[in-house]
């Protein structure tokens, strides 16, 4: 999962893009990057690390221009080398930079065809660089010295025809403008907004989540439709068109479970309200299965589950307490690369308040259970703090299948629920009883608020992959790439990603 942003304005955008990335930091903590454009020249800074660590004053002053795109990244099956941090650049045609959130399921085949048919070379294993080169090739075959909006849309149509999987994209074409587009299923989110500057001119912003628009004073207009492209030309005129032959909104439901901030609106759905409803339906299930539940207190595992846990406690009519204090200066354990690092970080991240646990039957609520390591550690922490009994509730159904659309769900063999019954999972994590949200209830929690989604991508729960191109061979390769023991651990310390394309060769 990654976060993207793009701004077309009439004043410098470097600080605004930085601020947007800090708001989107929860979507990726591995690397960050910003590219701006001025007078046809691109200026790029990217490197591994948090936003606050990647960008210093000396970097910000070099990011000149009134238009730019930005990206925060966390690795999926690729490496954590800063050579694979985004945005990516290609010089032909025109000069293009691109940032991407998602995952191409046919990236391997595309990479081969790019070399053999399009005569293009990629420098990394990133599917985002593959996507950039496909877009660049499709734009180049338009054969225009000065492309117009129809040429841009034709190139995006070519991308849709060739690329499979999930992609939300922001890109810049040197001296021509900014383009944003979304895959034909709308799996990954992207929203656009507008604001007026002091002179009354309209400025545009694209971002993964609406909170980034809110933070910068842009009014949310709407999400890009599935298969839609938007192009802001260098005169500041916005053009839009659905470029996919087939388009049907089927967004990833896990955005509402875990990734998105609660103050975001995605595809017309309030993430906060969806999580409130998750707590209500989960409480109803508990009352149905265990009317004599013995729960003395409900506690969230901070932070994502807090909204659901509060509503669950209200519905059950029991006390809600904050039993764990979170260390704010450590990353989200779910998206940390490597099982050992995740396991070590749990006790660094959370510390129990003993008096809230001692002698009580505690219901712990989390947003989901993926590998099971985190909740196993937390349950033991609750027992060590004096809890009499420890129950566990997941606001999401059991995660039984890998994600192939841009979320770092591990290989199937590393998912605690894969091939296990709920009773077996209960025994592994060490709780007194375990309850999962039902998938039908989860869908009902997000399929409201005027949402137009025909269905949701629920593949991690039901194994149904909506793009229809995921087979056993794909999973075999995924197992090799994603298993923690097999992931590459490249840390390219010598390359800090600071470069300015065209007219600035300084590195620091």
């Amino acid at each position: 999962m990654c976060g993207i942003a793009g701004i077309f304005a009439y004043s410098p955008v470097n600080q605004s893009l930085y601020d947007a990335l800090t708001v989107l930091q929860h979507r990726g903590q591995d690397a960050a990057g910003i590219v701006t454009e001025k007078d046809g020249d691109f200026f790029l800074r990217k490197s591994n690390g948090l936003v606050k660590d990647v960008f210093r004053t000396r970097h910000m002053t070099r990011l000149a221009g009134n238009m730019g795109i930005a990206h925060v990244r966390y690795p999926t099956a690729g490496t954590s080398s800063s050579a694979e941090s985004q945005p990516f650049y290609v010089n032909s045609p025109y000069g293009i930079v691109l940032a991407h959130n998602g995952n191409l399921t046919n990236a391997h085949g595309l990479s081969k065809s790019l070399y053999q048919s399009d005569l293009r070379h990629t420098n990394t294993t990133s599917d985002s660089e593959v996507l950039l080169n496909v877009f660049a090739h499709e734009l180049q075959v338009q054969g225009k010295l000065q492309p117009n909006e129809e040429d841009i849309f034709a190139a995006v149509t070519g991308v849709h025809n060739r690329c499979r999987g999930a992609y939300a994209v922001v890109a810049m074409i040197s001296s021509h403008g900014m383009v944003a587009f979304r895959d034909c299923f709308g799996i990954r989110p992207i929203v656009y907004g507008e604001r007026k500057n002091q002179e009354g001119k309209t400025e545009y912003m694209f971002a993964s989540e609406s909170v980034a628009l809110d933070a910068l004073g842009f009014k949310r207009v709407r999400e890009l439709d599935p298969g839609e492209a938007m192009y802001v030309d260098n005169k500041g005129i916005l053009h839009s068109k659905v470029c996919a032959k087939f388009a049907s909104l089927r967004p990833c439901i896990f955005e509402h479970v875990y990734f998105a901030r609660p103050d975001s609106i995605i595809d017309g759905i309030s993430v906060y309200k969806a999580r409130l409803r998750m707590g209500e339906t989960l409480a109803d299930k508990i009352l149905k299965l265990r009317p004599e539940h013995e729960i003395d207190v409900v506690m969230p595992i901070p932070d994502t589950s807090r909204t659901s846990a509060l509503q669950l406690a209200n519905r059950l009519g029991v006390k809600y307490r904050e039993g764990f204090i979170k260390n704010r200066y450590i990353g989200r354990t779910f998206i940390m690369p490597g099982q050992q690092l995740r396991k070590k970080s749990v006790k660094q991240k959370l510390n129990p308040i003993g008096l809230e646990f001692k002698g009580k039957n505690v219901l712990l609520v989390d947003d989901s259970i993926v590998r099971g390591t985190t909740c196993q550690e937390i349950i033991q922490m609750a027992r060590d703090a004096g809890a009499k009994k420890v129950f566990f509730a997941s606001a999401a159904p059991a995660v039984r299948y890998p994600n192939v659309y841009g979320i770092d769900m591990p290989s199937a063999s590393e998912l605690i629920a894969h091939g296990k019954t709920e009773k077996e999972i209960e025994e592994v994590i060490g709780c007194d009883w375990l309850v999962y949200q039902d998938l039908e209830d989860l869908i009902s929690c997000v399929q409201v608020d005027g949402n137009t989604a025909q269905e949701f991508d629920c593949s991690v729960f039901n194994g149904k992959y909506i793009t229809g191109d995921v087979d056993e061979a794909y999973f075999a390769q995924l197992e090799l790439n994603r298993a923690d023991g097999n992931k590459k651990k490249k840390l390219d310390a010598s390359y800090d990603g600071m470069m300015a394309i065209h007219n600035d060769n300084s590195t620091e």
Side-chain angles (χ1 to χ4, degrees):
M1 185 62 61
C2 301
I4 59 175
I7 300 176
F8 181 100
Y10 296 94
S11 59
V13 296
N14 52 352
Q15 185 63 51
S16 294
L17 288 169
Y18 176 92
D19 293 342
L21 290 188
T22 61
V23 174
L24 297 172
Q25 183 75 86
H26 61 285
R27 298 186 67 87
Q29 300 162 14
D30 178 66
I34 294 175
V35 181
T36 58
E37 190 243 37
K38 182 179 181 181
D39 299 328
D41 292 337
F42 287 136
F43 303 92
L44 167 65
R45 164 65 182 176
K46 62 179 182 177
S47 185
N48 280 0
L50 300 175
V51 175
K52 66 180 180 64
D53 298 321
V54 170
F55 301 99
R56 302 295 185 184
T57 301
R58 63 184 182 273
H59 306 131
M60 296 297 291
T61 56
R62 295 173 189 162
L63 295 172
N66 301 338
M67 179 172 66
I69 64 174
H71 187 270
V72 285
R73 173 187 184 267
Y74 90 112
T76 51
T79 76
S80 57
S81 166
S82 48
E84 293 206 352
S85 57
Q86 297 183 42
F88 283 112
Y89 165 79
V90 68
N91 71 332
S92 178
Y94 317 114
I96 304 172
V97 288
L98 178 145
H100 161 225
N101 174 30
N103 183 61
L104 300 184
T105 53
N106 64 336
H108 180 69
L110 280 174
S111 184
K112 291 178 66 176
S113 69
L114 280 171
Y115 181 75
Q116 295 173 353
S117 301
D118 300 348
L119 305 181
R120 285 182 171 270
H121 172 73
T122 55
N123 293 306
T124 70
T125 60
S126 172
D127 62 329
S128 301
E129 190 185 13
V130 171
L131 180 59
L132 167 60
N133 276 274
V134 171
F135 176 63
H137 174 78
E138 295 300 322
L139 190 55
Q140 189 160 10
V141 298
Q142 304 305 312
K144 298 285 189 65
L145 182 62
Q146 297 293 329
N148 59 27
E149 63 273 14
E150 291 305 320
D151 298 314
I152 304 299
F153 295 147
V156 175
T157 298
V159 171
H160 291 322
N161 290 340
R162 297 178 65 180
C163 295
R164 301 288 178 268
Y167 46 93
V169 172
V170 288
M172 288 191 299
I173 305 168
S174 177
S175 300
H176 292 92
M178 178 176 294
V179 60
F181 57 92
R182 193 179 188 187
D183 69 77
C184 63
F185 293 105
I187 300 171
R188 300 266 69 87
I190 181 169
V191 61
Y192 95 96
E194 300 176 355
R195 72 181 180 191
K196 298 288 186 180
N197 69 0
Q198 293 181 346
E199 299 174 354
K201 294 181 178 180
T202 302
E203 300 178 329
Y204 300 95
M205 180 174 179
F206 304 93
S208 293
E209 294 184 34
S210 61
V211 288
L213 277 61
D214 298 339
L216 296 173
F218 283 82
K219 180 181 179 181
R220 174 186 171 272
V221 177
R222 63 176 176 85
E223 278 74 21
L224 272 68
D225 290 331
E228 184 179 18
M230 289 188 171
Y231 173 55
V232 185
D233 64 30
N234 58 1
K235 296 179 181 179
I237 300 173
L238 176 67
H239 311 268
S240 66
K241 183 178 181 179
V242 175
C243 301
K245 295 178 181 178
F246 167 84
S248 175
L249 182 60
R250 302 177 185 183
C252 175
I253 204 167
F254 211 74
E255 289 278 354
H256 298 277
V257 171
Y258 176 80
F259 273 104
R261 276 180 38 157
D263 46 343
S264 283
I265 295 174
I266 296 181
D267 292 311
I269 306 164
S270 165
V271 176
Y272 176 75
K273 286 186 177 180
R275 290 178 183 167
L276 285 175
R277 289 187 287 266
M278 291 176 203
E280 292 174 357
T281 55
L282 192 55
D284 291 342
K285 183 175 181 179
I286 291 172
L287 290 172
K288 181 180 179 180
L289 294 177
R290 297 179 178 271
E292 305 297 329
H293 50 67
E294 301 181 281
I295 300 168
D296 296 321
V297 61
V298 173
M299 296 181 184
I301 297 173
D303 283 319
T304 321
S305 64
R306 184 173 283 120
T307 307
S308 296
L310 179 58
Q311 196 72 350
L312 185 151
N314 290 336
R315 194 82 151 198
L316 293 180
V318 300
K319 293 179 181 178
Y320 170 90
R321 291 290 184 268
E322 295 283 345
F324 292 98
I325 299 302
K326 182 179 179 181
N327 178 358
R328 302 289 174 185
Y329 304 99
I330 190 169
R332 302 177 88 180
T333 52
F334 175 85
I335 63 176
M336 286 183 175
Q339 180 77 339
Q340 291 302 316
L341 182 57
R342 282 186 294 268
K343 188 172 182 178
K344 178 182 178 182
S345 71
V346 174
K347 290 186 177 180
Q348 296 174 334
K349 181 179 180 179
L350 298 175
N351 190 50
I353 301 175
L355 59 89
E356 292 292 355
F357 291 90
K358 193 171 183 180
K360 297 177 182 177
N361 296 331
V362 179
L363 174 64
L364 301 179
V365 182
D366 206 351
D367 53 78
S368 59
I369 305 173
V370 181
R371 296 169 180 86
T373 304
T374 299
C375 61
Q376 189 176 16
E377 293 280 327
I378 290 172
I379 289 166
Q380 187 58 51
M381 289 168 65
R383 294 195 188 281
D384 293 342
K388 186 165 59 174
K389 292 183 179 180
V390 181
F391 315 125
F392 204 93
S394 169
V399 177
R400 301 185 185 279
Y401 305 93
N403 182 278
V404 301
Y405 301 127
I407 300 177
D408 189 22
M409 293 290 183
S411 60
S413 62
E414 293 178 321
L415 295 168
I416 191 171
H418 184 75
K420 291 188 181 71
T421 65
E422 291 188 16
K423 190 65 178 177
E424 289 171 333
I425 300 167
E426 188 178 283
E427 292 174 358
V428 172
I429 65 176
C431 63
D432 291 281
W433 53 259
L434 166 69
V435 60
Y436 278 106
Q437 185 88 258
D438 289 332
L439 181 56
E440 295 77 10
D441 287 338
L442 176 61
I443 293 172
S444 71
C445 290
V446 297
Q447 205 162 29
V448 291
D449 296 341
N451 170 55
T452 58
Q454 295 183 11
E455 61 180 282
F456 291 87
D457 169 52
C458 304
S459 53
V460 298
F461 306 124
N462 60 15
K464 298 178 181 178
Y465 297 91
I466 60 176
T467 54
D469 60 340
V470 179
D471 55 20
E472 291 303 317
Y474 185 91
F475 281 124
Q477 186 61 44
L478 194 70
E479 185 85 18
L480 290 174
N481 291 342
R482 283 195 175 174
D484 276 341
N486 297 330
K487 276 190 177 180
K488 298 175 184 178
K489 302 297 181 183
K490 295 179 182 178
L491 293 175
D492 188 1
S494 63
Y495 174 68
D496 77 343
M498 180 61 204
M499 59 184 295
I501 304 162
H502 293 319
N503 68 351
D504 187 348
N505 295 320
S506 57
T507 58
E508 272 299 332

